């Protein structure tokens, strides 16, 4: 089977990541429990008249896909595969509110049409005039990994050459209130540097979009090779160490072969123990984390994927994401691990190409 490469990246997050010439050079500070994406100038990518009618998730998806395509030096892809947990949740909230406010009468269909989870992938296809395979995965916090696994299969089997893959989620006011009520969001405002010092349950919620051009053809823009992705719906904490070691062993690797471990710690006192277990397992490996910069959302792991890609290509690890003080002379093999509230565990293995 063919190797699969990350040929380009595009990111919009709570940090200024849409500029691919920079790599977390300037950190956007906050003191809150809900953080919003830093917006690029959307009119540089989308006509203003069209952008006004688009939900934020759609705009973020279109812009990051265009950034990724431009960096990959291609105008078209064979497929578009999107992962999202909540889709265009703001339009979903608008439509449900209108049902209640108007007593189920005189409803405009536009918010309903734009609220479906596959709207982002569809709008990207319209922008690119792409008539190929277009699929959206809604698998909670492994939505992005599911999209990557689909692309991997197609590229490895040479059914496609270039596939646009991404993860996107936006914040909605009503949905955010519900998460606060059920303690999924931290009760207190917190800063990025203090997130892991928090002793409360819940996370800092965020939003963002991260798109990548994956290909079975290596190019001069390639960031890294995707070796493997594996997911588990349920995984007991005591079995985590064995599963991580077994995953590496499948690719003839041991814990000593890793140059970097990237973890999805979000400061939730009830569930960060999973990350602590893996952190102890790889105690001799340099470690990093990222949700203090991006916030927590269903496809936040796509931001971790972006981080790993940039680290391998630039061969540098920004100080703001370091989880321990260990250093290495090069970043060749990187393992990412993520879970949310004890479910939907994922391992992603990348290496230098």
């Amino acid at each position: 089977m063919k190797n699969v490469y990350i040929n380009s990246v595009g990111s919009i997050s709570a940090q200024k990541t849409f500029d691919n010439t920079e790599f977390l050079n300037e950190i956007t500070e906050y003191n809150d429990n809900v953080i919003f994406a830093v917006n690029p100038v959307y009119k540089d990518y989308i006509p203003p008249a069209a952008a006004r009618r688009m939900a934020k998730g759609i705009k973020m998806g279109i812009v990051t896909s265009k950034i990724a395509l431009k960096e990959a030096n291609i105008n078209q892809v064979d497929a578009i595969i999107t992962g999202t947990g909540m889709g265009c949740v703001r339009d979903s909230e608008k439509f449900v509110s209108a049902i209640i406010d108007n007593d189920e009468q005189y409803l405009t269909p536009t918010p309903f049409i734009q609220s479906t989870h596959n709207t982002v992938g569809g709008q990207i296809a319209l922008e690119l005039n792409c008539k190929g395979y277009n699929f959206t995965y809604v698998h909670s916090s492994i939505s992005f990994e599911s999209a990557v696994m689909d692309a991997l299969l197609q590229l490895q089997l040479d059914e496609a050459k270039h596939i646009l893959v991404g993860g996107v989620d936006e914040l909605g006011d009503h949905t955010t209130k519900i998460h606060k009520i059920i303690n999924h969001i931290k009760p207190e405002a917190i800063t990025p540097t203090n997130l892991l010092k928090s002793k409360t349950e819940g996370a800092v919620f965020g939003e963002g979009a991260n798109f990548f051009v994956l290909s079975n053809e290596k190019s001069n823009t390639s960031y890294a090779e995707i070796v493997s992705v594996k997911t588990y719906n349920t995984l007991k904490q005591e079995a985590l160490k064995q599963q991580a070691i077994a995953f590496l062993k499948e690719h003839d690797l041991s814990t000593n072969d890793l140059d970097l471990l990237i973890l999805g710690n979000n400061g939730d006192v009830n569930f960060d123990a999973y990350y602590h277990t893996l952190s102890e397992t790889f105690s001799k490996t340099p470690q990093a984390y990222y949700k203090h910069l991006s916030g927590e959302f269903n496809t936040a792991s796509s931001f971790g994927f972006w981080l790993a890609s940039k680290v391998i290509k630039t061969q540098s690890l920004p100080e703001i994401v370091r989880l321990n003080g260990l250093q290495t002379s090069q970043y060749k093999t990187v393992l990412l691990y993520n879970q949310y509230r004890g479910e939907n565990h994922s391992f992603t293995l990348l290496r230098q190409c």
Side-chain angles (χ1 to χ4, degrees), residues 10-13 17 57 60-61 64 167-169 207-211 297 299 302:
S11 175
I12 291 177
S13 69
T17 52
M60 291 193 298
T64 50
V168 55
D169 276 294
E207 62 181 0
N210 299 276
F211 272 82
F297 50 100
T299 50
S302 63

Side-chain angles (χ1 to χ4, degrees), residues 119-132:
T119 303
V120 177
Q123 287 288 343
I124 293 171
L126 287 170
E127 286 282 324
L128 302 180
N129 194 26
C130 176
K131 299 180 176 67

Side-chain angles (χ1 to χ4, degrees), residues 290-350:
Y290 56 90
K291 288 179 183 173
H292 61 308
L293 300 181
S294 68
E296 178 68 89
F297 50 100
N298 280 303
T299 50
S301 57
S302 63
F303 183 81
F305 194 84
W306 171 86
L307 175 65
S309 303
K310 295 284 280 187
V311 167
I312 293 173
K313 185 167 186 176
T314 64
Q315 286 297 295
S316 64
L317 184 66
E319 200 63 35
I320 190 68
V321 300
R322 288 187 183 275
L323 194 56
N324 62 14
L326 297 178
Q327 304 280 347
T328 185
S329 58
Q330 56 187 353
Y331 298 100
K332 282 188 172 182
T333 307
V334 178
L335 175 67
L336 296 97
Y337 167 68
N338 186 58
Q339 58 83 25
Y340 180 60
R341 299 188 67 81
E343 295 182 340
N344 295 321
H345 307 259
S346 65
F347 292 108
T348 303
L349 186 62
L350 305 181

Side-chain angles (χ1 to χ4, degrees), residues 110-181:
T110 307
F112 175 76
I113 294 166
Q114 293 189 338
S115 70
T116 56
H117 291 75
N118 57 5
T119 303
V120 177
Q123 287 288 343
I124 293 171
L126 287 170
E127 286 282 324
L128 302 180
N129 194 26
C130 176
K131 299 180 176 67
Y133 178 92
N134 195 318
F135 208 85
T136 298
Y137 284 91
V138 187
H139 290 178
S140 189
S141 52
I142 53 168
S143 298
F144 173 70
E145 287 82 356
S146 299
V148 173
M149 290 167 73
D150 186 346
L152 273 175
L153 285 170
Q154 293 192 50
L155 293 168
Q156 288 171 340
L157 297 173
D158 209 19
E159 293 180 3
K161 292 193 183 302
H162 305 288
I163 298 180
L164 183 67
V165 180
V168 55
D169 276 294
E170 64 181 17
L171 286 165
D173 293 339
H174 182 71
T175 308
T176 299
K177 287 177 184 176
I178 293 172
H179 279 293
K180 286 182 177 179
I181 291 169

Side-chain angles (χ1 to χ4, degrees), residues 195-265:
L195 181 64
L196 297 192
K197 299 173 186 175
S198 170
K199 301 300 180 185
T200 58
E201 61 181 319
V204 172
F205 267 35
E207 62 181 0
N210 299 276
F211 272 82
F212 311 85
V213 172
L214 306 186
S215 177
N216 51 25
E217 297 177 349
K218 185 181 175 183
S219 74
N220 57 4
T221 64
S222 294
Y223 280 70
E225 178 190 346
I226 306 175
V227 180
S228 182
V229 180
K230 199 163 191 175
T231 63
Y232 302 84
N233 177 245
T234 56
L235 190 61
K236 292 183 178 179
Q237 189 179 327
E238 54 269 25
L240 183 58
K241 176 182 177 180
Q242 289 76 15
Q243 291 294 346
I245 292 172
F247 176 69
L248 292 176
K249 193 174 181 181
E250 288 175 14
H251 305 285
D252 300 319
L253 297 171
S254 69
T255 55
N256 296 325
D257 295 317
L258 279 189
D259 299 305
L260 180 65
L261 174 67
I262 298 180
L263 299 170
N265 305 57

Side-chain angles (χ1 to χ4, degrees), residues 1 16 25 31 36 45 59 77 109 130 147 160 187 194 199 204 206 254 259 261-262 274 278 283 288 335-337 339:
M1 291 195 296
K16 188 185 172 184
N25 298 349
N31 185 19
F36 295 89
Y45 303 89
K59 289 191 287 188
V77 290
C130 176
N194 289 325
K199 301 300 180 185
V204 172
S254 69
D259 299 305
L261 174 67
I262 298 180
Y274 283 93
L278 216 57
S283 58
L335 175 67
L336 296 97
Y337 167 68
Q339 58 83 25

